[in-house]
Amino acid sequence: TYAQVRRAGFIWDDDMHLTQNPCVVGPLGLADIWTSRAARYFPMVLTTFWAEHAIWGLNPLPYHVVNVLMHAACAIVLWRVLRRLGVPGALLGASLWALHPVQVESVAWITELKNTQSCLFYLLCILFFAKWLRAGLSEAAGGRTAYYAAALLFAALAMASKSSTVVLPAVLALCVWWVRGSLRWRDLAGLAPVVLMALAAIALSLWTQHLEGANAPEWTRGLPERIADAGMVFWFYLGKLAWPHPLIFIYPRWDVDWTRAASYAPTAAMLALVLVLWRGRVGLLRPAFIAVAYFLVALGPVLGLLDQYFWRYSLVADHFQYLASMGPVALAAALVSRALAGMGAGGRALGIAACGVLLATLGGLSWRQCADYEDAETIWRSTIAANPGCWMAHNNLGASYLESGRLDDAVAEFRKALGTRGGNLEAHQNLGNAFVRMGRLDEAMAHYRAALELDPGFAKAHNGLGDSLLRAGRVDEAVAQFEEALRIDPAFADAEDNCGNALFRAGRADKAIEHYRRALAIDPMNVQAHSNLGAALLGTGRADEAVGEFHKALAIDPRFASAMVNIGNVLMQEGKPADAAALYARALAIAPDLAEAHNNLGAALIEMGRLDEAIAHCRRALEINPAYPEARTNLGKALFKQGKIDEADAQFQEAMRSR
């Protein structure tokens, strides 16, 4: 079913949790995962990522394999849990749950190791708690104690993996009621440690969600809206289990009119269902009551009653019902099992064959769904196809295009994101980044300023505006923007790096070096900061130290073209233009649109007397970056050497104006 993950890569949020997480790839580490807020509210998952990264680096395939194996382990333990609780059709229930397409989001998305790992510990907690409950008087006291200790250990590991497992106390209470037929104080007293763990996990989760901006004013909903939404969420998830189509990475975000009585109908229907089942809880409806009660309890954290950062995108997502879906699926399997038990041999064989067809169908649907998770561009394209009004899908697809150099396509997607949601901070920021790459600095500045009008404390927009100002030659204004970004976020490595660039441009190399070193203290893997520090050291005559920094950059990223350019600059200073030209050419083979490499190659070719080639490279540098005075100066030199005095003079004049 999950064979297609062999082609899958990293997608949304995988950078934050893994590929660019300082706790996993540096400069922080295992100690920071458990002692600082860097781990947010799932330190156990980051510990797993940290261990995986130490073994196989950033090859996505092993991470996907681990996630699939975790899901398989969850299915096996679910089977054992259902058997331990005496639920009929346990194997069928676990198989239906494992193969259902709503699980694909949790299994094929590396970030959702949070789900699969926490679920494994969650189920192991339930399994050992059930063993503790069913242990008879004939069993040694030490055995019962071991079961109980194991249940507590796995509860702690589950909550350290994902906060959604804070529902464990209520789930274990339902297990007590199912096994005993009632709730006794002695049994409930055994839940006290789990309750305390859950309260601590809830407090941590609420704190980290607040830090992330979950309760931002523009996304805040009143209590009536939350109550109306809760019923819609309940029926949405139940509907996706019954009919898993369409499955969308980001579902449309609905808005309810809390002033209309009809808006509360789904919630009223949900409560009516629970009430009817409650009244029949000691009769034939007992299994249905337990299944629905479990489903509602497990959905509790994601019913929308409490704020979560994700609600700004949608109020539902497939991965949010990973735990909850076990209840209805187990009930369905139990009903099928009971029905098969009452049939004759022929009917039973036909029923078993029908179950096989159902499992094969679910597996096929899941296999097809896995294809959406091949890469970031694929997941956002499939999201937009099913949900065209998803502003964040347009924004993130644009970011994928921007990263791959498809600038016009990126701008088009960012504009669509703004069209679907006007006050879109991220889209303005990304449009600014795209226009900087295109050399359209005035338009870039306009979008950065628009982002800052929406949120003056948006450090990335200050940094972007500063970068645009620096490229436009407005150095003092640029420094002010970088300093403001650092005031807002003192651990902003890119702003430190850019501030160093501005100060270096202003001739303050020593201060620039300080900023570069601070950037590297925050992010030692920042190849650009290593390269820039090397350039500043080179500018102060410390060539050996400079080359050392350039080689550090290349050790981190052997395809980092800027470091090659800077080593070429050292060779130029040493009077070796041919060697420098070879390095510039290597850089351009990797990054054909690197204006500095074209310009510097032009300068080396001038020294070598190859004037026509030099002119071609200088002109290409100016096509990429029209506001590039050094390229105009070098173009002027080459033209002058060819005797084209008037053309050379025009280039020198333009270079003076653009400085």
Side-chain angles (χ1 to χ4, degrees):
T1 295
Y2 285 97
Q4 292 206 85
V5 300
R6 71 186 184 278
R7 293 194 296 268
F10 298 112
I11 59 168
W12 184 51
D13 265 8
D14 289 341
D15 54 349
M16 180 173 67
H17 295 112
L18 173 58
T19 62
Q20 296 177 26
N21 190 313
C23 292
V24 177
V25 301
L28 306 180
L30 191 59
D32 297 278
I33 289 174
W34 290 96
T35 60
S36 75
R37 59 182 267 194
R40 301 165 74 225
Y41 48 94
F42 33 83
M44 197 65 210
V45 168
L46 286 192
T47 299
T48 302
F49 280 149
W50 177 86
E52 289 188 82
H53 178 261
I55 298 168
W56 42 66
L58 291 178
N59 176 6
L61 177 59
Y63 293 93
H64 282 293
V65 171
V66 167
N67 220 17
V68 173
L69 292 175
M70 283 278 189
H71 182 59
C74 289
I76 293 168
V77 179
L78 175 59
W79 168 46
R80 304 308 300 169
V81 166
L82 294 176
R83 286 199 59 170
R84 175 64 59 172
L85 292 174
V87 178
L91 182 58
L92 176 61
S95 301
L96 287 171
W97 179 82
L99 294 172
H100 200 289
V102 298
Q103 314 301 9
V104 171
E105 186 166 291
S106 296
V107 185
W109 183 10
I110 290 173
T111 285
E112 283 310 311
L113 179 70
K114 293 180 293 180
N115 256 1
T116 56
Q117 179 173 297
S118 65
C119 180
L120 181 59
F121 294 137
Y122 168 93
L123 287 168
L124 286 169
C125 170
I126 297 171
L127 178 63
F128 281 98
F129 189 81
K131 287 185 176 185
W132 176 69
L133 283 176
R134 287 194 177 276
L137 294 176
S138 60
E139 190 155 354
R144 289 197 77 222
T145 302
Y147 292 151
Y148 182 69
L152 293 184
L153 171 63
F154 287 122
L157 292 174
M159 292 182 204
S161 297
K162 191 172 183 181
S163 59
S164 59
T165 57
V166 296
V167 300
L168 264 171
V171 171
L172 296 178
L174 285 172
C175 291
V176 173
W177 190 84
W178 174 256
V179 172
R180 304 284 197 207
S182 62
L183 292 173
R184 300 181 299 182
W185 285 111
R186 185 178 66 186
D187 294 324
L188 290 177
L191 297 177
V194 187
V195 171
L196 293 176
M197 292 180 203
L199 291 174
I202 289 169
L204 178 62
S205 179
L206 291 175
W207 176 61
T208 53
Q209 287 287 337
H210 171 73
L211 291 177
E212 290 176 354
N215 53 355
E218 66 268 30
W219 303 109
T220 299
R221 295 169 298 139
L223 181 59
E225 290 175 86
R226 295 168 191 255
I227 292 172
D229 284 332
M232 295 179 68
V233 169
F234 176 88
W235 294 111
F236 175 89
Y237 287 130
L238 206 55
K240 287 298 176 185
L241 286 177
W243 189 256
H245 180 78
L247 297 179
I248 311 174
F249 191 61
I250 304 293
Y251 289 97
R253 189 182 190 278
W254 63 68
D255 292 305
V256 301
D257 183 356
W258 63 270
T259 62
R260 295 177 62 248
S263 298
Y264 302 94
T267 302
M270 175 185 73
L271 296 175
L273 174 64
V274 173
L275 180 60
V276 168
L277 295 175
W278 168 257
R279 291 175 66 87
R281 68 191 181 279
V282 294
L284 292 175
L285 293 180
R286 184 168 182 258
F289 168 72
I290 285 289
V292 172
Y294 170 80
F295 186 62
L296 188 57
V297 164
L299 284 179
V302 296
L303 282 175
L305 297 172
L306 298 175
D307 288 321
Q308 287 201 36
Y309 189 87
F310 190 84
W311 298 164
R312 66 188 56 204
Y313 309 128
S314 177
L315 296 176
V316 289
D318 291 339
H319 69 277
F320 286 142
Q321 70 158 322
Y322 190 68
L323 300 180
S325 58
M326 296 174 188
V329 168
L331 175 62
L335 293 174
V336 170
S337 179
R338 290 293 194 198
L340 290 175
M343 293 179 178
R348 181 178 172 80
L350 187 61
I352 291 173
C355 289
V357 170
L358 175 60
L359 289 172
T361 301
L362 292 175
L365 292 172
S366 295
W367 180 86
R368 188 177 67 179
Q369 190 70 18
C370 276
D372 286 351
Y373 293 80
E374 183 172 339
D375 54 39
E377 184 176 328
T378 303
I379 195 68
W380 297 126
R381 281 185 171 279
S382 66
T383 299
I384 291 168
N387 180 13
C390 183
W391 64 266
M392 66 92 68
H394 285 294
N395 184 66
N396 290 355
L397 179 59
S400 296
Y401 288 151
L402 184 61
E403 186 176 347
S404 61
R406 296 168 59 182
L407 302 183
D408 290 333
D409 291 335
V411 168
E413 291 301 326
F414 296 143
R415 291 198 189 281
K416 288 176 184 175
L418 281 177
T420 55
R421 177 173 164 256
N424 192 327
L425 199 69
E426 295 88 349
H428 279 300
Q429 168 73 16
N430 284 330
L431 270 169
N433 295 344
F435 284 133
V436 165
R437 293 269 296 272
M438 298 168 83
R440 294 156 63 176
L441 299 180
D442 289 341
E443 290 171 89
M445 288 184 222
H447 282 285
Y448 290 132
R449 293 189 196 281
L452 291 171
E453 285 179 13
L454 294 168
D455 181 5
F458 190 27
K460 288 183 178 179
H462 283 291
N463 182 58
L465 179 57
D467 183 42
S468 299
L469 290 165
L470 180 59
R471 290 168 186 264
R474 296 156 66 177
V475 178
D476 292 340
E477 294 175 74
V479 170
Q481 291 297 326
F482 297 138
E483 289 177 345
E484 180 62 14
L486 290 168
R487 185 192 66 78
I488 296 166
D489 182 3
F492 194 171
D494 285 346
E496 289 281 13
D497 184 40
N498 284 335
C499 195
N501 292 340
L503 292 167
F504 187 57
R505 178 84 67 86
R508 300 165 63 187
D510 290 338
K511 290 294 292 181
I513 289 169
E514 290 179 21
H515 280 279
Y516 294 139
R517 293 197 189 281
R518 282 204 286 268
L520 290 168
I522 298 166
D523 180 9
M525 305 295 285
N526 190 325
V527 291
Q528 190 65 61
H530 278 295
S531 183
N532 290 339
L533 174 58
L537 291 167
L538 184 61
T540 57
R542 296 147 72 179
D544 291 341
E545 292 179 70
V547 171
E549 291 298 327
F550 300 143
H551 282 296
K552 286 178 185 177
L554 286 171
I556 297 168
D557 181 2
R559 292 179 57 82
F560 187 56
S562 292
M564 296 178 190
V565 170
N566 283 323
I567 295 174
N569 295 343
V570 174
L571 293 171
M572 284 290 287
Q573 284 193 3
E574 293 175 349
K576 301 174 181 177
D579 293 338
L583 271 173
Y584 297 142
R586 276 180 57 196
L588 287 171
I590 296 167
D593 292 332
L594 187 60
E596 185 182 7
H598 281 290
N599 171 64
N600 293 6
L601 178 54
L605 292 168
I606 290 171
E607 294 292 319
M608 297 164 67
R610 294 158 60 181
L611 300 180
D612 288 338
E613 294 173 75
I615 288 170
H617 281 287
C618 291
R619 291 195 189 281
R620 179 62 186 134
L622 289 167
E623 287 175 10
I624 299 166
N625 180 12
Y628 196 168
E630 291 82 359
R632 292 203 179 275
T633 298
N634 283 327
L635 178 57
K637 288 179 181 178
L639 291 167
F640 184 82
K641 283 179 176 285
Q642 285 189 334
K644 300 174 181 178
I645 307 302
D646 291 340
E647 292 181 59
D649 182 61
Q651 293 298 329
F652 292 140
Q653 294 291 341
E654 186 61 32
M656 292 171 62
R657 281 194 292 272
S658 59
R659 283 187 184 276

